Amino acid sequence: MAENFLKIENLNVEVDGKHILKNLSLSVEKGSVNVILGPNGSGKSTLMNVIMGNPQYTVTSGSITFEGEDILPLKTFERARRGLFLSFQTPEEIAGVTVENMLRTAKAAASGEKIRLIPFRKELLATMEELKIDADYAKRDLNVGFSGGEKKKSEILQLLTLNPKLALLDETDSGLDVDAVQIVSKGVAKFHNKDNAVLIITHNAKILENLSVNKVYVLMDGRKVEEGGADLIEKIEREGFSHIQEGA
């Protein structure tokens, strides 16, 4: 597992003139599961948005490459076509677009192929059953009237249906009860394999129970302050971030 999917070097990012990410470097290898930890306001969600190409954020210096390609010049939809996928911390509601139509259209756009309705619908309903999502939700407008847990399950449904190369998961477990966290965790585990990778922000180690974590990065004040293996998660769960702050 030595092939870098994603490589970020000396990244500096501003929002409305405020310096958010500061000389940040990290890498994501093919086949790996990577976790980003840090207190609120440390720049974790900013990083995910910058990787995906959100124009709200300004990259002032540094580089982001995916499979060896400089993706900074690419628009968000072009990055999606390269195989990047972002699960939002707060999923948007889209009236007038059903879950099924959105996913079928998105899959066709990503693959460049025509998606046949009947096989697609059969596969979609099977995935929904695994995630314990009522089949009727396929005909509902995307996230409209969904509970917080249903929105997060919908994000994992999108992940499994679109099957990207790199999943960027921004607190997909936020606000979920224990059972829903388990369902989401199993969904991410089903997605992950040796040919893709996961980069996940979480405050809840429960979502990682079905995953084998390879690398952990800790962000504070827009900087990477520590990195390590899965044992770093346990250390932070025991001690919080105080040991890092004290050593800073």
Side-chain angles (χ1 to χ4, degrees), residues 4-8 26-34 47-48 51-52 64-67 71 79-87 159 162-169 188 191-193 195-200:
N4 277 336
F5 250 21
L6 180 75
K7 190 170 185 179
I8 298 171
L26 59 82
S27 61
V28 172
E29 295 180 348
K30 187 176 183 180
S32 67
V33 174
N34 307 264
L47 175 61
M48 295 295 212
I51 294 171
M52 203 65 221
I64 304 177
T65 57
F66 181 62
E67 294 191 302
I71 62 171
R79 301 185 196 200
R81 286 178 177 172
R82 298 298 195 277
L84 298 179
F85 172 92
L86 175 60
S87 172
L159 172 68
L162 298 177
N163 193 28
K165 295 178 180 178
L166 175 59
L168 307 168
L169 308 180
V188 177
F191 159 76
H192 179 246
N193 60 51
D195 295 319
N196 59 35
V198 176
L199 182 62
I200 181 169

Side-chain angles (χ1 to χ4, degrees), residues 124-138 146-147 149-154 156-157 160 177-184 186-187 190:
L124 177 65
L125 292 176
T127 304
M128 292 178 74
E129 184 176 1
E130 282 190 67
L131 295 174
K132 294 183 169 47
I133 301 173
D134 192 298
D136 290 342
Y137 278 71
F146 287 21
S147 68
E150 288 165 343
K151 288 180 179 180
K152 297 304 179 73
K153 288 181 185 179
S154 177
I156 300 303
L157 175 64
L160 292 173
D177 61 32
V178 174
D179 291 338
V181 169
Q182 277 296 315
I183 291 170
V184 168
K186 289 176 181 177
K190 181 179 179 180

Side-chain angles (χ1 to χ4, degrees), residues 6-14 21 24 46-55 57-80 82 84:
L6 180 75
K7 190 170 185 179
I8 298 171
E9 294 186 294
N10 302 317
L11 187 67
N12 286 276
V13 174
E14 293 183 354
L21 298 182
L24 183 65
T46 294
L47 175 61
M48 295 295 212
N49 277 280
V50 170
I51 294 171
M52 203 65 221
N54 187 330
Y57 302 88
T58 302
V59 176
T60 57
S61 64
S63 65
I64 304 177
T65 57
F66 181 62
E67 294 191 302
E69 179 186 11
D70 176 12
I71 62 171
L72 284 179
L74 302 182
K75 297 184 183 300
T76 298
F77 75 89
E78 293 172 315
R79 301 185 196 200
R82 298 298 195 277
L84 298 179

Side-chain angles (χ1 to χ4, degrees), residues 16-245:
D16 297 327
K18 184 178 180 181
H19 197 180
I20 305 296
L21 298 182
K22 304 163 185 176
N23 296 315
L24 183 65
S25 297
L26 59 82
S27 61
V28 172
E29 295 180 348
K30 187 176 183 180
S32 67
V33 174
N34 307 264
V35 178
I36 298 179
L37 302 176
N40 291 334
S42 58
K44 305 184 299 298
S45 293
T46 294
L47 175 61
M48 295 295 212
N49 277 280
V50 170
I51 294 171
M52 203 65 221
N54 187 330
Q56 176 184 349
Y57 302 88
T58 302
V59 176
T60 57
S61 64
S63 65
I64 304 177
T65 57
F66 181 62
E67 294 191 302
E69 179 186 11
D70 176 12
I71 62 171
L72 284 179
L74 302 182
K75 297 184 183 300
T76 298
F77 75 89
E78 293 172 315
R79 301 185 196 200
R81 286 178 177 172
R82 298 298 195 277
L84 298 179
F85 172 92
L86 175 60
S87 172
F88 295 99
Q89 185 175 348
T90 307
E92 295 287 335
E93 297 184 3
I94 304 178
V97 179
T98 67
V99 171
E100 180 179 351
N101 285 342
M102 186 282 291
L103 285 172
R104 188 176 173 218
T105 301
K107 190 166 186 176
S111 65
E113 300 175 357
K114 184 177 180 180
I115 305 299
R116 295 172 59 202
L117 176 60
I118 301 303
F120 173 79
R121 180 172 291 166
K122 183 178 180 180
E123 182 180 346
L124 177 65
L125 292 176
T127 304
M128 292 178 74
E129 184 176 1
E130 282 190 67
L131 295 174
K132 294 183 169 47
I133 301 173
D134 192 298
D136 290 342
Y137 278 71
K139 299 300 183 183
R140 290 182 58 178
D141 290 356
L142 182 64
N143 293 328
V144 176
F146 287 21
S147 68
E150 288 165 343
K151 288 180 179 180
K152 297 304 179 73
K153 288 181 185 179
S154 177
E155 293 279 282
I156 300 303
L157 175 64
Q158 294 171 44
L159 172 68
L160 292 173
T161 302
L162 298 177
N163 193 28
K165 295 178 180 178
L166 175 59
L168 307 168
L169 308 180
D170 187 358
E171 295 192 39
T172 305
D173 53 342
S174 176
L176 300 183
D177 61 32
V178 174
D179 291 338
V181 169
Q182 277 296 315
I183 291 170
V184 168
S185 178
K186 289 176 181 177
V188 177
K190 181 179 179 180
F191 159 76
H192 179 246
N193 60 51
K194 64 181 178 62
D195 295 319
N196 59 35
V198 176
L199 182 62
I200 181 169
I201 296 172
T202 183
H203 291 291
N204 184 355
K206 290 289 185 183
I207 197 173
L208 305 173
E209 288 184 351
N210 293 289
L211 300 167
S212 179
V213 174
N214 300 99
K215 191 172 287 188
V216 178
Y217 295 101
V218 181
L219 270 58
M220 295 181 71
D221 190 31
R223 295 181 173 87
K224 182 185 70 178
V225 295
E226 191 167 358
E227 66 177 88
D231 58 329
L232 183 53
I233 298 172
E234 298 174 5
K235 183 177 182 180
I236 290 174
E237 284 196 317
R238 290 194 313 268
E239 305 176 16
F241 298 105
S242 59
H243 73 284
I244 301 173
Q245 293 169 325

